[in-house]
């Protein structure tokens, strides 16, 4: 892999990096627990993301995490930034962020995750054109994470860009302006002599974007500038900020604009008067890494991991997903808890076949990486009549039918109580646990109300899945025996 910075600069690596990672809303504390356990660093959870600092030499270990979706290196944060009320002046302020960013840190860390054929300098292409004071890295301590610009009572509209990627579909109706991901704005910078921007009310603005005259250079990386903005007190739009910010990045480094096949993405996040600049360390969400054959309701591996972790799995536990679909939950369980026994089943043959294929494909991939094979026993069965002995399973983890894409909430009125009864019969008394994901929480709570002598609720949280609000519920099996009366 080519060095991201000139050789003479390599010896000056920063000692501490600030990382921000997105996580499904509701699982922030679970992600915090995993990071602190595996990376041994303090973590601050916020709505939809977690923030922590880590030594540079350990930064690649963020790929060991299973609870988070996307990971970013934070280049700089500007707290309580005084944006001007004049459009042109405010956009000029946005441009000036470019020369105040710790590019050395960002490119250094980026180079640990991605390859580029040529060295990438953190210095401006022509230093004589840049009179702004050079970035001076402040002393960084592990406790720096306490100073990150967030508040404990953040609303859904006040989350980081990493969280917005997963929650934008549901949150956009409550924001003062939809959080906009810029896809074509840099085309405007490159291919238009003057681009007329729109103001907040849709009228034409007075901040034209000039045409870039920098030619394509194959020895320099392609990049894309993305802006996320929330708040009511900005005179500019997200697209305007991204255009000016991205245009100055190109002027600063001479990098090539490439919206689709970019090497580096630079994210500008403006949350009211708090600004942060980041570079993603993941090209695609980490939840995609174990699955090859997806079904219509395939669960994200990161959500599966968080559900499994809530159950406190121990070596030797029998872990079962009786409605496995494509196998997202049992596969994640087999990867992360290889010392346990993993069962999977589904009433539909196509679901069982997908699970088997996903297990086989993953084992081929793991063999190429010289990793051990995972083991999942897959069976076709009816969840209301399982071919298992009494007290045979330690933990049930499953994604219950929402009653939308599959089945209906009317069907769930009968399915949920029958499922809970059969799981109670086959789950170990007192020590057995279960974790359910569903959007149909009303039918689940109604079923639990009638079966309180068999199941005790110990935890419940709301999460967001592709724009749908769902709940995750953890249950503990009581010491009461399953009787013939319960079966009826």
């Amino acid at each position: 892999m080519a060095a991201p910075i000139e050789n003479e600069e390599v010896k000056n690596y920063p000692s501490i990096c600030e990382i921000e990672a997105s996580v499904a809303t509701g699982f922030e504390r679970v992600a915090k627990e995993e990071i602190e356990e595996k990376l041994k660093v303090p973590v601050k959870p916020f709505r939809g993301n977690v923030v922590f600092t880590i030594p540079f030499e350990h930064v690649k270990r963020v790929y060991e995490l299973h609870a988070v979706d996307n990971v970013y290196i934070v280049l700089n944060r500007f707290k309580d930034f005084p944006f001007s009320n004049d459009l042109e002046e405010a956009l000029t302020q946005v441009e000036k962020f470019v020369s105040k960013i710790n590019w050395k840190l960002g490119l250094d860390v980026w180079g640990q995750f991605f390859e580029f054929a040529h060295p990438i300098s953190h210095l401006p292409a022509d230093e004589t054109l840049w009179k702004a004071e050079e970035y001076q890295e402040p002393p960084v301590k592990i406790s720096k994470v306490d100073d990150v610009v967030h508040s404990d009572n953040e609303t859904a509209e006040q989350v980081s860009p990493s969280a917005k990627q997963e929650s934008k579909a549901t949150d956009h109706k409550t924001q003062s302006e939809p959080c906009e991901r810029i896809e074509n704005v840099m085309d405007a910078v490159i291919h238009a002599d003057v681009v007329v921007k729109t103001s907040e009310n849709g009228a034409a603005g007075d901040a034209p974007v000039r045409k870039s005259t920098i030619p394509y250079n194959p020895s320099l990386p392609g990049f894309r500038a993305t802006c996320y903005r929330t708040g009511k007190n900005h005179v500019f739009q997200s697209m305007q900020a991204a255009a000016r910010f991205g245009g100055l990045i190109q002027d600063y480094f001479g990098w090539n604009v490439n919206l689709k096949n970019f090497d580096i993405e630079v994210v500008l996040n403006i949350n009211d008067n708090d600004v942060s600049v980041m570079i993603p360390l993941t090209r695609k969400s980490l939840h995609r890494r174990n699955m090859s054959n997806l079904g219509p309701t395939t669960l994200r591996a990161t959500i599966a991991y968080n559900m499994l972790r809530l159950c406190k799995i121990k070596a030797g536990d029998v872990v079962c997903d009786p409605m496995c679909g494509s196998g997202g939950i049992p596969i994640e369980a087999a990867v992360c808890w290889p010392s346990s026994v993993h069962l999977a089943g589904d009433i539909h043959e196509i679901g069982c076949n997908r699970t088997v294929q996903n297990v086989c494909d993953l084992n081929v991939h793991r063999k190429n990486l010289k990793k051990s094979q995972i083991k999942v026993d897959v069976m076709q069965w009816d969840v209301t009549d399982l071919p298992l002995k009494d007290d045979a399973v330690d933990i049930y983890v499953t994604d219950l039918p929402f009653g939308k894409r599959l089945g209906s909430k009317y069907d769930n009125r009968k399915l949920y109580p029958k499922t809970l009864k059969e799981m109670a019969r086959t789950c170990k008394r007192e020590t057995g646990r279960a974790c359910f994901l569903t959007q149909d929480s009303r039918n689940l709570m109604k079923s639990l109300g009638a079966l309180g002598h068999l199941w005790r609720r110990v935890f419940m949280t709301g999460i967001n899945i592709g724009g749908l609000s769902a709940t995750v519920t953890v249950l503990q099996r009581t010491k009461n025996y399953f009787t013939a009366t319960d079966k009826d």
Side-chain angles (χ1 to χ4, degrees), residues 20 33 51 92 108 115 144 161 167 193 222 254 315-317 343-344 360 362 365 387 401 445 465 481 485:
E20 181 170 319
E33 181 183 278
V51 178
T92 300
D108 193 13
E115 295 182 355
K144 178 188 175 188
S167 63
D193 290 326
D317 281 347
L343 306 179
C360 293
L362 181 57
H365 178 66
M445 291 300 103
I465 303 180
Y481 285 96
T485 303

Side-chain angles (χ1 to χ4, degrees), residues 26-72:
F27 285 134
E28 297 88 352
R29 296 290 176 180
V30 184
K32 175 182 185 295
E33 181 183 278
E34 183 200 16
I35 296 168
E36 291 180 341
E37 177 186 297
K38 292 182 177 179
L39 304 185
K40 311 298 182 184
V41 296
V43 180
K44 284 290 183 180
F46 304 103
R47 183 177 176 85
N49 70 295
V50 291
V51 178
F52 57 94
T53 54
I54 186 172
F56 173 81
E57 59 270 21
H58 298 155
V59 70
K60 286 201 72 173
R61 294 191 61 196
V62 298
Y63 271 12
E64 298 175 15
L65 303 176
H66 288 259
V68 302
D69 288 297
N70 293 285
V71 181
Y72 299 78

Side-chain angles (χ1 to χ4, degrees), residues 302-321:
T302 48
I303 293 178
Y305 175 85
N306 283 304
M307 292 174 62
L308 290 158
R309 191 175 180 92
L310 285 172
C311 294
K312 310 297 182 184
I313 300 172
K314 300 187 295 290
D317 281 347
V318 177
V319 184
C320 178
D321 181 357

Side-chain angles (χ1 to χ4, degrees), residues 374-392:
I374 66 168
K375 298 178 181 178
V376 179
D377 293 323
V378 184
M379 291 157 278
Q380 185 174 0
W381 60 29
D382 182 349
V383 69
T384 64
D385 187 19
L386 296 172
L388 300 173
K389 296 181 180 179
D390 294 357
D391 300 332

Side-chain angles (χ1 to χ4, degrees), residues 121-325:
S121 175
H122 69 278
L123 300 173
D126 188 347
E127 293 186 76
T128 62
L129 298 179
W130 299 95
K131 304 300 183 182
E133 182 179 353
E134 290 186 1
Y135 176 85
Q136 298 294 327
E137 184 178 1
V140 181
K141 301 178 182 179
I142 291 295
S143 60
K144 178 188 175 188
V145 72
D146 295 330
D147 300 325
V148 173
V149 180
H150 286 284
S151 61
D152 291 335
N153 61 347
E154 285 178 302
T155 65
E157 299 80 46
Q158 294 174 316
V159 296
S160 69
S162 50
K164 291 185 182 72
Q165 286 185 339
E166 304 300 337
S167 63
K168 180 172 67 173
T170 54
D171 290 344
H172 74 281
K173 292 182 180 180
T174 62
Q175 295 175 354
S176 58
E177 176 192 344
C179 177
E180 299 172 283
R181 184 178 182 88
I182 307 307
E183 296 291 346
N184 300 314
V185 66
M186 290 308 298
D187 276 338
V189 174
I190 298 302
H191 300 299
D193 290 326
V194 174
V195 179
V196 178
K197 296 301 177 181
T198 57
S199 63
E200 295 298 318
N201 59 9
D206 56 358
V209 179
R210 53 157 178 76
K211 178 180 177 180
S212 173
T213 58
I214 299 177
Y216 174 80
N217 186 340
S219 66
L220 296 176
F223 85 102
R224 179 173 76 178
T226 302
C227 178
Y228 300 95
R229 185 187 68 84
T230 56
K232 301 179 179 180
N233 300 319
H234 306 128
V235 294
F236 54 84
Q237 293 182 331
S238 302
M239 183 172 289
Q240 292 173 303
R244 296 288 284 267
F245 184 66
L248 257 291
I249 291 176
Q250 191 189 34
D251 287 348
Y252 195 79
F253 292 114
W255 292 349
N256 308 298
V257 173
N258 193 326
L259 300 179
K260 300 299 181 182
N261 300 312
F262 52 88
D263 299 294
I264 302 172
E265 182 178 18
V266 184
V267 174
L268 174 67
N269 180 46
I270 303 174
N271 179 9
D272 288 325
N273 283 70
D274 295 332
V275 181
S276 59
V277 182
M278 311 177 192
I279 292 180
L281 302 179
T282 46
R283 291 271 168 79
K284 58 183 180 180
S285 175
L286 296 178
H287 78 260
R288 300 174 180 269
R289 54 185 161 191
N290 292 332
M291 304 293 289
S292 56
N293 292 276
L294 305 180
T297 59
T298 299
L299 187 66
R300 284 161 40 187
T302 48
I303 293 178
Y305 175 85
N306 283 304
M307 292 174 62
L308 290 158
R309 191 175 180 92
L310 285 172
C311 294
K312 310 297 182 184
I313 300 172
K314 300 187 295 290
D317 281 347
V318 177
V319 184
C320 178
D321 181 357
M323 293 181 279
C324 65

Side-chain angles (χ1 to χ4, degrees), residues 75-103:
L75 307 189
N76 207 348
R77 296 187 187 271
F78 306 90
K79 184 177 180 180
D80 297 325
F81 187 82
F83 283 110
S84 172
N85 291 325
D86 177 77
L87 176 59
E88 180 58 33
E89 185 176 343
L91 293 175
T92 300
Q93 290 176 312
V94 170
E95 291 179 326
K96 290 182 179 180
F97 289 140
V98 173
S99 61
K100 298 178 181 179
I101 294 169
N102 192 346
W103 292 107

